């Protein structure tokens, strides 16, 4: 079950890696906000958290004379783990970030592989969560992975409502630098749980 | 300073992701051995350690009707972090793996970005090391990242000799399953250091 990125997402990805950002007309872009936040955390020696590269299946590569190997046929692959991981205060951190335009978070947005991965991380003593952005209200929540894993496996519903996430998650404070103060929540919530 | 993978490496990579392995004529293949080892650790609930996807810069994507997005122009990028990370016994683990056909490990095999990344991981309380395979003698060593970082920054040499790695690193026991018992070394060496 491969969730191939749609055209818009791919183009936004290409734009980003080209290093050109249309900041004047910038709406909410969760991935960019998290990447900038992580850059801030890295530059200020707060945490080392990186986005993993998009997994790509390479089929054909050409070798033009005197220039770099050129990939001429490749496809997007479904990730088997989450997008982000790293270290904060000596602790292993792992999370997936998702945007939704509606007032619910459909489980089709996350793969079973990712659910199982998050569950494993919890069992091995890591800090695992989801960052879910509701773009319509410009709110971003941190939701503990254990809540998501349980809801996903219960199998009695196919999505989590905005209200449920609001009630069980933690609203992330937004700002200029960093954009998303998500480690504040990790400090508050996980210090309580793990101490 | 991008170390573009050479033709052989790229083709071996393509072969691997196709899922076809020429096991009959298999020589030493460090990446494959580590991946199989990590699969073993994962399946036996020992550790959750994954290889990060190869970073690729996508330039052009085509959208054939009724089929998946096809990448038609892309290039290999230099990784800014290491290839492997994950969690073991609640600890953050981070390492880079390299093969060498000679009896020395040239510093050109590793980028300054990766050295700085390993150094950051140490400072944030993670376990960071290199796995270095000397293919000519079929020996694989675990070398603590702090040793590599210091040697790299000293700037008085351009490589580490086989003897130096043998003396300062730890020989990894090989086997059938897992192929490389590298977590044994983590148990022995890092438990001593971190306790």
């Amino acid at each position: 079950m491969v969730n191939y990125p749609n055209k818009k997402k791919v183009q936004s990805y290409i734009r980003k890696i080209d290093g050109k950002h249309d900041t004047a007309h910038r709406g909410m872009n969760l991935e960019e906000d998290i990447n900038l936040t992580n850059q801030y955390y890295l530059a200020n020696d707060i945490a080392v958290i990186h986005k993993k590269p998009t997994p790509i299946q390479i089929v054909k590569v050409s070798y033009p004379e005197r220039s770099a190997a050129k990939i001429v046929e490749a496809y997007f692959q479904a990730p088997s783990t989450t997008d982000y991981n790293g270290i904060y205060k000596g602790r292993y951190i792992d999370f997936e970030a998702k945007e939704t335009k509606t007032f619910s978070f459909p489980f089709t947005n996350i793969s079973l592989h990712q659910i199982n991965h998050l569950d494993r991380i919890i069992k091995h003593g890591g800090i695992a969560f989801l960052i879910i952005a509701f773009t319509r209200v410009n709110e971003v929540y941190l939701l503990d992975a254990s809540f998501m894993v349980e809801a996903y496996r219960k199998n009695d519903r196919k999505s989590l409502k905005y209200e449920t996430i609001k009630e069980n998650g933690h609203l992330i404070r937004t700002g200029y630098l960093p954009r998303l103060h998500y480690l504040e929540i990790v400090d508050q919530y996980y210090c309580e749980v793990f101490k």
Side-chain angles (χ1 to χ4, degrees), chain A:
Chain A
M1 213 171 55
V2 177
N3 287 317
Y4 290 108
N6 61 27
K7 190 164 181 170
K8 199 180 152 198
K9 195 172 161 192
V10 170
Q11 287 181 336
S12 124
Y13 176 65
I14 295 174
R15 201 165 54 241
K16 252 170 287 162
I17 55 181
D18 275 350
K20 294 164 203 149
H21 300 271
D22 184 7
T23 43
H25 303 94
R26 215 184 126 267
M28 186 182 222
N29 183 326
L30 184 62
E31 187 182 316
E32 192 176 322
D33 286 348
I34 293 176
N35 289 344
L36 288 169
T37 299
N38 288 342
Q39 279 173 30
Y40 172 87
Y41 287 147
L42 189 71
N44 290 277
D45 226 10
I46 295 165
V48 185
I49 297 164
H50 287 277
K51 187 182 182 294
K52 292 183 196 169
T54 304
I56 283 164
Q57 183 183 14
I58 301 166
V59 176
K60 207 171 164 187
V61 182
S62 82
Y63 302 88
E65 282 289 324
R66 273 186 282 196
S67 55
K70 181 179 170 184
I71 298 160
V72 292
E73 187 182 349
Y75 300 92
F76 293 97
Q77 286 181 300
S80 54
T81 67
T82 48
D83 270 358
Y84 300 88
N85 74 357
I87 187 167
Y88 174 55
K89 292 185 178 172
R91 298 292 306 271
Y92 177 86
I93 298 272
D94 198 301
F95 65 95
E96 182 64 23
K98 294 288 181 189
E99 274 180 40
T100 172
K101 285 173 190 161
T102 65
F103 284 101
S104 94
F105 180 81
F107 290 159
T108 49
N109 262 6
I110 190 158
S111 74
L112 181 59
H113 273 125
Q114 293 179 315
I115 290 290
N116 291 339
H117 174 75
L118 289 166
D119 192 27
R120 278 194 196 102
I121 297 307
I122 298 166
K123 285 180 179 145
H124 283 266
I127 294 173
F129 52 86
L130 285 106
I131 290 182
I132 299 172
F134 291 94
T135 53
R136 214 183 284 179
V137 285
N138 250 344
E139 288 176 1
V140 186
Y141 290 87
L142 187 152
L143 182 70
D144 186 51
S146 62
F147 187 88
M148 176 59 85
V149 170
E150 205 181 313
Y152 189 98
R153 289 183 179 166
K154 254 190 182 164
N155 227 358
D156 60 348
R157 46 185 166 184
K158 291 190 161 114
S159 64
L160 285 180
K161 280 184 199 159
Y162 167 72
E163 289 76 20
T164 309
I165 291 170
K166 196 182 174 87
E167 205 184 304
N168 296 282
H170 308 267
L171 183 66
I172 298 173
R173 187 164 68 91
T174 56
Y176 176 64
L177 263 178
R179 294 271 176 95
L180 293 167
H181 295 260
Y182 72 86
L183 288 181
E184 275 181 4
I185 313 282
V186 172
D187 277 335
Q188 289 159 24
Y189 180 66
Y190 291 95
C191 287
E192 231 177 80
V193 172
F194 282 94
K195 281 222 169 150

